[in-house]
């Protein structure tokens, strides 16, 4: 598998301060060591940089700019910086640190789908417990507005929908300029996964740890 692996690891986090420091090791342990030479960790956190250098050589560290490290910056800005800095061409596997349950077998299966469909970009999909056709935007004053305007009354008339997930993101450098800020477009293919924990708060982290403890105990 010929992939450039980019891991965004911004320093600041409002939901769970220092979460990327906590989660880095989970993702690095998911990657076989023979792929470490393909890995670039883009960060503005000196602690994360030191961890990568000391424990995960020959992984490279990209010094993320102040602009792309802002919490208002999109991930695509960070990826574009890395691509330009290293002159990368070809397929990129981007791994958010917030998915500690991800396994390398998931990545291999997703990449197989990417290649089989001749895709230029791939993200993941999760099944929804509630259709967005039943969801309302809170308009205040105890009023609501349909998220998706429609007049269906039978659930079997609702189109099949799924939840976008960034557990695994694969795209070609030539397609980068055609993707939106969430890294997809109308040609993106979606790899089906089971519901994944996306760690953004202390509650998410505890939920993930409790799940791991339960699996280890059983």
């Amino acid at each position: 598998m010929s992939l450039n692996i980019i891991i965004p690891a911004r320093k600041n986090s409002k939901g769970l301060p220092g979460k990327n420091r906590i989660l880095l090791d989970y993702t690095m342990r998911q990657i076989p060591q023979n792929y470490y030479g393909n890995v670039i960790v883009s960060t503005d956190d000196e602690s994360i940089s030191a961890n990568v250098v000391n424990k995960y050589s020959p992984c490279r560290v990209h010094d993320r700019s102040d602009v792309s490290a802002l919490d208002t910056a999109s991930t695509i800005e960070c990826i574009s910086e890395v691509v330009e800095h290293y002159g990368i061409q070809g397929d990129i596997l981007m791994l958010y640190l917030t998915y500690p349950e991800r396994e390398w077998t998931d990545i291999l299966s997703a990449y197989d789908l990417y290649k089989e469909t001749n895709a230029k970009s791939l993200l993941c999909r999760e099944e929804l417990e509630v259709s967005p056709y039943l969801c309302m935007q809170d308009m205040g004053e105890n009023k609501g507005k349909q998220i998706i305007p429609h007049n269906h009354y039978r659930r079997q008339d609702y189109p099949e929908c799924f939840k976008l997930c960034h557990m695994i993101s694969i795209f070609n450098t030539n397609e980068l300029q055609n993707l939106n800020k969430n890294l997809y477009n109308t040609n993106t293919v979606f790899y089906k996964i089971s519901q994944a924990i996306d760690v953004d708060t202390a509650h998410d982290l505890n939920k993930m740890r409790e799940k791991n403890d339960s699996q280890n105990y059983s």
Side-chain angles (χ1 to χ4, degrees), residues 140-157:
E141 299 180 349
N142 300 313
K143 296 181 180 179
K145 176 183 177 182
Q146 287 181 321
I147 298 293
I148 301 175
H150 69 92
N151 198 30
H152 301 310
Y153 69 95
R154 301 189 310 162
R155 295 196 182 197
Q156 57 264 41
D157 292 333

Side-chain angles (χ1 to χ4, degrees), residues 105-123:
T105 52
D106 296 320
I107 294 170
L108 293 178
S109 296
Y111 191 59
D112 283 344
L113 177 63
Y114 176 84
K115 299 299 286 186
E116 289 168 4
T117 57
N118 294 314
K120 295 181 181 179
S121 61
L122 174 145
L123 293 178

Side-chain angles (χ1 to χ4, degrees), residues 155-190:
R155 295 196 182 197
Q156 57 264 41
D157 292 333
Y158 298 162
E160 183 178 356
C161 300
F162 59 86
K163 178 184 175 182
L164 171 69
C165 178
H166 288 86
M167 186 178 84
I168 301 168
S169 305
I170 305 174
F171 43 87
N172 190 275
T173 51
N174 291 332
E175 185 71 356
L176 195 57
Q177 62 183 355
N178 299 322
L179 302 177
N180 65 16
K181 291 184 178 180
N182 266 319
L183 297 171
Y184 67 89
N185 57 28
T186 55
N187 295 317
T188 300
V189 299
F190 292 89

Side-chain angles (χ1 to χ4, degrees), residues 1 10 23 31 33 48 72 96 126 152 180 195 204:
M1 186 172 67
R10 195 166 58 87
L23 297 171
I31 303 171
Q33 291 188 13
I48 291 176
T72 55
Y96 277 131
E126 295 179 353
H152 301 310
N180 65 16
Q195 196 168 46
D204 297 330

Side-chain angles (χ1 to χ4, degrees), residues 24-177:
L24 175 68
D25 290 337
Y26 286 93
T27 290
M28 292 307 304
R29 287 196 296 265
Q30 293 162 0
I31 303 171
Q33 291 188 13
N34 58 302
Y35 281 95
Y36 280 5
N38 298 43
V39 175
I40 301 170
V41 178
S42 180
T43 186
D44 60 329
D45 190 327
E46 293 180 359
S47 176
I48 291 176
S49 297
N51 192 4
V52 172
V53 171
N54 293 331
K55 295 174 60 177
Y56 301 110
S57 178
C59 293
R60 289 170 286 177
V61 176
H62 168 256
D63 293 327
R64 193 164 173 170
S65 73
D66 292 339
V67 173
S68 70
L70 294 171
D71 60 2
T72 55
S74 65
T75 303
I76 205 165
E77 293 178 57
C78 169
I79 300 300
S80 297
E81 271 190 1
V82 176
V83 167
E84 182 177 357
H85 180 84
Y86 290 99
I88 296 173
Q89 293 184 340
D91 293 332
I92 291 175
L93 166 66
M94 189 197 74
L95 300 177
Y96 277 131
L97 296 179
T98 55
Y99 294 96
E101 298 179 297
R102 177 180 47 219
E103 296 183 0
W104 190 250
T105 52
D106 296 320
I107 294 170
L108 293 178
S109 296
Y111 191 59
D112 283 344
L113 177 63
Y114 176 84
K115 299 299 286 186
E116 289 168 4
T117 57
N118 294 314
K120 295 181 181 179
S121 61
L122 174 145
L123 293 178
C124 296
R125 59 175 286 175
E126 295 179 353
E127 299 310 303
L128 291 168
E129 295 181 3
V130 178
S131 171
Y133 279 73
L134 289 170
C135 294
M136 306 291 289
Q137 179 182 350
D138 187 349
M139 304 301 292
E141 299 180 349
N142 300 313
K143 296 181 180 179
K145 176 183 177 182
Q146 287 181 321
I147 298 293
I148 301 175
H150 69 92
N151 198 30
H152 301 310
Y153 69 95
R154 301 189 310 162
R155 295 196 182 197
Q156 57 264 41
D157 292 333
Y158 298 162
E160 183 178 356
C161 300
F162 59 86
K163 178 184 175 182
L164 171 69
C165 178
H166 288 86
M167 186 178 84
I168 301 168
S169 305
I170 305 174
F171 43 87
N172 190 275
T173 51
N174 291 332
E175 185 71 356
L176 195 57
Q177 62 183 355

